[in-house]
Amino acid sequence: MSADIKVFHANDSALYFEGKGKRILVDGIYGGDIRNGGTVRDLGMSNMPREYFRMMIRGSGILSDPDILLFTHDHADHFNRDMTSEYMSSHRRTRIFLPEDGISDIMPVRKDDRYWEANEEGLRIGILSADHLDLTKDKSMYSGVVSRSYILDFRGRRFMVSGDSVLDESLLRVMEKNDAGSIDCIFVNVIH
């Protein structure tokens, strides 16, 4: 990594980026119940450590005062609605993007049917639409899940966060078509 960009892997899917005057937290407020009545712990994932969250609320520690919160999708191992709302109520200057949820205040420009782009004061955010990874036999468990991957471009240093997106050749073609194909570092989940 370049000394001008710092990356902290907070826990599970949470990544914190700091550089070029911006602080971005991706999938960093998460945990709790999952849709079928279990918890993220039942999936082998962790809840966001309460101390991390308390420190965020206070504006202290490694995750202090992110300028932008990005979420790849709204599954509990990546996003917790109640905690995010609590955080946003006391940190109104923080910008947020959650695909297809209606709580986003970052309004990206559509470049084609699978790629959007947002510019946040020198930070270019590429937003890729992809299918959610599904390893079930009939591939129906996650059909219809809105899933995004992000390319964070810190003035030429590019980092990709895949979330639970399917990484395939069609996604690579979308990236190349939209001048987002050259990535310095990609963060993938263990299952990839």
Side-chain angles (χ1 to χ4, degrees), residues 156-190:
R157 293 297 313 267
R158 290 181 176 173
F159 299 86
M160 182 175 179
V161 179
S162 67
D164 286 349
S165 294
V166 172
L167 303 175
D168 60 11
E169 288 184 36
S170 71
L171 195 63
L172 179 60
R173 284 191 295 275
V174 171
M175 291 168 63
E176 289 171 339
K177 178 181 173 185
N178 291 285
D179 188 32
S182 175
I183 306 295
D184 292 297
C185 184
I186 182 170
F187 295 90
V188 297
N189 289 340
V190 174

Side-chain angles (χ1 to χ4, degrees), residues 8 10-11 48-57 63:
F8 177 67
N11 206 4
M48 180 182 189
R50 292 304 296 177
E51 183 57 24
Y52 280 5
F53 187 65
R54 284 191 292 275
M55 290 169 70
M56 278 185 71
I57 294 291
L63 305 179

Side-chain angles (χ1 to χ4, degrees), residues 43-169:
L43 300 173
M45 308 299 272
S46 302
N47 286 312
M48 180 182 189
R50 292 304 296 177
E51 183 57 24
Y52 280 5
F53 187 65
R54 284 191 292 275
M55 290 169 70
M56 278 185 71
I57 294 291
R58 289 191 310 258
S60 64
I62 191 72
L63 305 179
S64 67
D65 295 324
D67 299 297
I68 299 170
L69 297 176
L70 300 174
F71 296 96
T72 57
H73 60 294
D74 73 352
H75 288 168
D77 56 330
H78 295 260
F79 171 72
N80 181 294
R81 181 175 310 280
D82 293 338
M83 290 169 63
T84 301
S85 294
E86 180 182 344
Y87 180 81
M88 293 300 292
S89 70
S90 62
H91 293 81
R92 298 195 185 279
R93 68 161 198 79
T94 301
R95 313 255 304 150
I96 186 169
F97 183 79
L98 176 65
E100 308 295 325
D101 189 74
I103 65 168
S104 303
D105 62 6
I106 293 174
M107 303 311 245
V109 174
R110 183 181 212 118
K111 299 292 186 175
D112 71 31
D113 61 334
R114 293 185 62 194
Y115 185 80
W116 297 260
E117 199 169 275
N119 286 293
E120 293 289 316
E121 300 170 17
L123 172 70
R124 187 172 106 182
I125 304 170
I127 304 167
L128 295 149
S129 175
D131 293 329
H132 188 288
L133 187 64
D134 190 343
L135 300 177
T136 60
K137 189 173 184 174
D138 67 359
K139 304 284 188 229
S140 65
M141 185 171 187
Y142 297 113
S143 64
V145 172
V146 176
S147 186
R148 301 289 186 254
S149 290
Y150 296 105
I151 298 171
L152 306 176
D153 186 338
F154 293 89
R155 298 185 188 122
R157 293 297 313 267
R158 290 181 176 173
F159 299 86
M160 182 175 179
V161 179
S162 67
D164 286 349
S165 294
V166 172
L167 303 175
D168 60 11
E169 288 184 36

